Amino acid sequence: MRKNETSGESGKFSDLLKTSWVKSAIKAGVVFTVVGLVVLFTMKFTDIGNSKLFADTKTFVLQSGLLGIFFITMLAGTLLPMGSPGLVVAAALFGLPKIPLIIVATTGFTIGLLVNYALAYYLGRPYVTKRLSAQRIEEIARTWSKWGWILYTIFGLIPVLPVEVLSFVYGLFKTRLDMFVILSFVPRLIVFTLMAYFGEYMGSWMGIS
């Protein structure tokens, strides 16, 4: 009986991707991606780049600069719905230098994740259940021992998946801090690099940078 229970809890990775909370995250990510692409194409073909709203937004981003990017990505890492990948795309599109942008955004986001980790680590399950349902925590816990690091890396590498949620779980389960920092920083460094170059390309394509 114990063997069957263990098998049911670990399962195949394909089975993990079929769990309700992972499927919900993927669906939300797909919707977010589609909406983002629609917005970009709308900006291209409606000449919104010449509008006052766009000009004011660009001025705000450039004036806020890298310091503003740092604080916003740090807040985004703490589970606030601020869309850090989209922010990096926009910042690059508006002309912020790519390399400093990538480093600052990655550092800020990682610090935000570390805040989640620390809060969950020291405040425990009562605190985490205020952010995640008890059912969601149990669903994650059943597969965590086998797939935790892999799942966290995948969520970190796919910009529209909520890696912020998993950072709470990492702190709750008191996992290794050094691995947490590495797997928080490196995947987002890759993501923000791609987003920055994508934003620069989109700015050239739309003729606004």
Side-chain angles (χ1 to χ4, degrees):
M1 179 68 178
R2 186 172 181 79
K3 181 178 180 181
N4 291 338
E5 288 178 353
T6 302
S7 176
E9 289 181 357
S10 60
K12 298 178 180 179
F13 188 71
S14 59
D15 295 332
L16 173 63
L17 296 178
K18 296 176 184 177
T19 57
S20 60
W21 70 277
V22 174
K23 288 171 65 177
S24 297
I26 292 174
K27 289 178 182 178
V30 170
V31 171
F32 181 84
T33 301
V34 171
V35 170
L37 291 175
V38 169
V39 169
L40 288 174
F41 277 90
T42 300
M43 290 172 62
K44 166 67 176 178
F45 295 109
T46 59
D47 200 29
I48 196 173
N50 294 321
S51 69
K52 185 178 185 302
L53 175 62
F54 186 89
D56 291 343
T57 303
K58 181 176 181 178
T59 299
F60 173 79
V61 170
L62 294 178
Q63 287 179 347
S64 299
L66 295 174
L67 184 61
I69 296 296
F70 174 79
F71 282 111
I72 293 175
T73 52
M74 184 173 65
L75 290 174
T78 60
L79 203 57
L80 293 178
M82 304 195 114
S84 57
L87 173 66
V88 172
V89 171
L93 185 148
F94 291 142
L96 284 183
K98 294 189 301 300
I99 301 303
L101 170 63
I102 293 165
I103 294 172
V104 167
T106 305
T107 302
F109 192 79
T110 302
I111 291 174
L113 296 178
L114 277 168
V115 170
N116 290 348
Y117 177 96
L119 289 172
Y121 188 99
Y122 290 108
L123 300 181
R125 188 175 290 263
Y127 174 80
V128 177
T129 52
K130 293 179 181 179
R131 273 72 187 163
L132 308 173
S133 67
Q135 179 182 357
R136 179 65 56 84
I137 294 173
E138 291 304 319
E139 288 177 345
I140 298 174
R142 283 195 292 269
T143 56
W144 195 257
S145 61
K146 183 173 182 178
W147 301 114
W149 294 115
I150 297 173
L151 194 63
Y152 189 73
T153 302
I154 291 174
F155 270 53
L157 286 170
I158 301 178
V160 292
L161 293 183
V163 68
E164 305 90 345
V165 171
L166 294 185
S167 65
F168 283 113
V169 180
Y170 260 91
L172 178 63
F173 294 159
K174 294 180 167 47
T175 52
R176 288 174 50 186
L177 180 60
D178 57 344
M179 287 297 294
F180 176 80
V181 172
I182 291 170
L183 294 182
S184 295
F185 187 87
V186 174
R188 280 292 139 156
L189 179 66
I190 295 171
V191 168
F192 288 151
T193 298
L194 294 174
M195 293 298 99
Y197 278 90
F198 176 72
E200 183 183 57
Y201 170 79
M202 292 302 299
S204 298
W205 180 64
M206 291 187 289
I208 56 177
S209 64

